[in-house]
């Protein structure tokens, strides 16, 4: 949750900084007695273009990672479902024990994601599900040795391995974020652009608050949404709807 609070504060201070930067640029122009300087428009265009490039890069990256995290949910559910279905290849006794382990595993995965943002509970459930993964693997290795068909090991063990790999990939994706320097650079470029915009507006002593507030609000809003997308279990844009797939999967494991 602290990441989202930090993102909101960052957007708020960016908004305030942009408004102040516009005013600074405007006052600089007024102090220069409105003298026109050659080549200013070219420099302004270059700075605004650079700002747009960095902003587009940051937003596109966040949106892409958001979609990737949703896709990882689907992949994990499919991997668990496939491994669970292949338990039918085992003997009845071995199958029943592993099916119960799978139910506990899915329950643990659901509880883990619902525990966010409580880091202690998340760590506890993570340890629990990892322990269940080890139990499932150990039981599966023992069970395939006495399986009715010799090809059971080749079908079941890779499926269980894919299930654990999917969980690992999903956990790793939660820590993939752009470096902080990207947002710092974006803020600095935005402030420079705001100063130049204010300089261009300094041809008149009257202020256009619509343009000033609109410019600052638009940049701050896009920046906040970009940061919010990076934490799909904490902010306004979440992937919790995809967790219903786990609930449906658990319901099928009766």
């Amino acid at each position: 949750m602290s990441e989202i609070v930090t993102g909101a504060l960052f957007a708020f201070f960016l908004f305030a900084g942009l408004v102040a930067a516009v005013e600074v640029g405007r006052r600089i122009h007024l102090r220069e007695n409105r003298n026109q300087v050659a080549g200013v428009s070219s420099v302004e265009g270059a700075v605004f273009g650079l700002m747009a490039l960095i902003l587009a890069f940051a937003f596109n990256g966040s949106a892409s990672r958001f979609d990737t995290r949703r896709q990882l949910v689907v992949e994990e559910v499919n991997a668990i479902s496939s491994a669970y279905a292949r338990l039918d290849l085992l003997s009845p006794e071995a199958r029943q024990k592993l099916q119960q382990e799978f139910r506990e595993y899915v329950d643990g995965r659901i509880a883990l994601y619902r525990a966010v943002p409580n880091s202690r509970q998340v760590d506890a459930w993570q340890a629990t599900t990892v322990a269940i993964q080890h139990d499932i693997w150990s039981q599966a290795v023992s069970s395939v040795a006495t399986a009715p068909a010799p090809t059971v090991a080749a079908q079941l063990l890779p499926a269980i391995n894919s299930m654990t790999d999917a969980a690992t990939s999903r956990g790793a994706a939660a820590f993939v974020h752009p470096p902080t320097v990207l947002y710092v650079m974006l803020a600095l470029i935005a402030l420079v652009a705001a100063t130049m915009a204010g300089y261009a507006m300094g041809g008149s002593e009257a202020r256009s608050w619509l343009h000033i507030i609109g410019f600052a609000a638009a940049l701050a809003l896009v920046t906040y949404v970009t940061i919010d997308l990076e934490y799909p279990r904490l902010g306004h844009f979440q992937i919790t709807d995809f967790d219903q797939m786990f609930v449906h999967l658990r319901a099928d494991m009766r």
Side-chain angles (χ1 to χ4, degrees):
M1 184 64 70
S2 61
E3 290 85 356
I4 295 302
V5 174
T6 301
L9 290 175
F10 180 83
F12 173 78
F13 285 114
L14 178 61
F15 171 80
L18 291 172
V19 173
V22 171
E23 181 63 19
V24 169
R26 180 178 168 277
R27 289 180 179 273
I28 291 174
H29 194 170
L30 290 174
R31 288 182 180 180
E32 291 181 352
N33 298 319
R34 306 183 185 89
N35 293 329
Q36 297 297 323
V37 180
V40 169
S41 59
S42 299
V43 175
E44 290 176 348
V47 172
F48 274 94
L50 180 60
M51 181 190 68
L53 178 64
I54 296 175
L55 188 60
F57 176 80
F59 182 83
N60 181 70
S62 295
S64 177
R65 285 183 288 273
F66 182 84
D67 289 336
T68 298
R69 290 174 182 123
R70 292 194 299 184
Q71 183 60 34
L72 288 174
V73 177
V74 178
E75 292 179 2
E76 183 178 9
V77 170
N78 287 338
I80 296 174
S81 178
S82 177
Y84 185 82
R86 296 186 187 191
L87 295 180
D88 292 338
L89 300 172
L90 300 174
S91 62
E93 181 180 358
R95 180 174 65 247
Q96 291 176 3
K97 291 182 179 180
L98 276 171
Q99 284 177 338
Q100 181 58 33
E101 289 282 352
F102 268 73
R103 296 187 190 101
E104 294 177 2
Y105 178 71
V106 173
D107 287 338
R109 297 298 288 176
I110 293 174
L112 186 155
Y113 299 126
R114 288 179 176 175
V116 178
N118 190 319
S119 59
R120 290 186 178 180
Q121 291 186 14
V122 169
D123 292 341
W125 281 113
Q126 176 66 19
T128 299
T129 55
V130 169
I132 297 176
Q133 284 178 356
H134 294 161
D135 290 341
I136 289 175
W137 181 259
S138 298
Q139 289 189 36
V141 170
S142 300
S143 299
V144 296
T146 58
T151 59
V152 172
Q155 298 180 62
L156 178 59
L157 297 183
I160 295 177
N161 189 57
S162 296
M163 179 185 76
T164 56
D165 287 346
T168 301
S169 297
R170 192 174 174 190
F175 298 97
V176 178
H177 302 293
T180 305
V181 67
L182 177 66
Y183 296 110
V184 174
M185 184 169 57
L186 173 60
L188 292 176
I189 295 297
L191 291 173
V192 172
T195 304
M196 290 186 173
Y199 186 90
M201 297 170 64
S204 171
E205 294 185 2
R207 297 178 179 84
S208 177
W209 288 110
L210 175 63
H211 292 82
I212 296 174
I213 299 299
F215 173 76
L219 282 179
L221 178 61
V222 173
T223 302
Y224 174 74
V225 172
T226 300
I227 297 174
D228 193 273
L229 287 172
E230 287 290 340
Y231 303 94
R233 292 192 173 277
L234 301 176
H236 293 89
F237 303 98
Q238 299 193 8
I239 59 174
T240 51
D241 290 345
F242 275 62
D243 290 341
Q244 286 299 115
M245 299 180 65
F246 273 90
V247 176
H248 297 323
L249 174 63
R250 181 62 180 85
D252 292 336
M253 292 180 170
R254 297 176 181 174

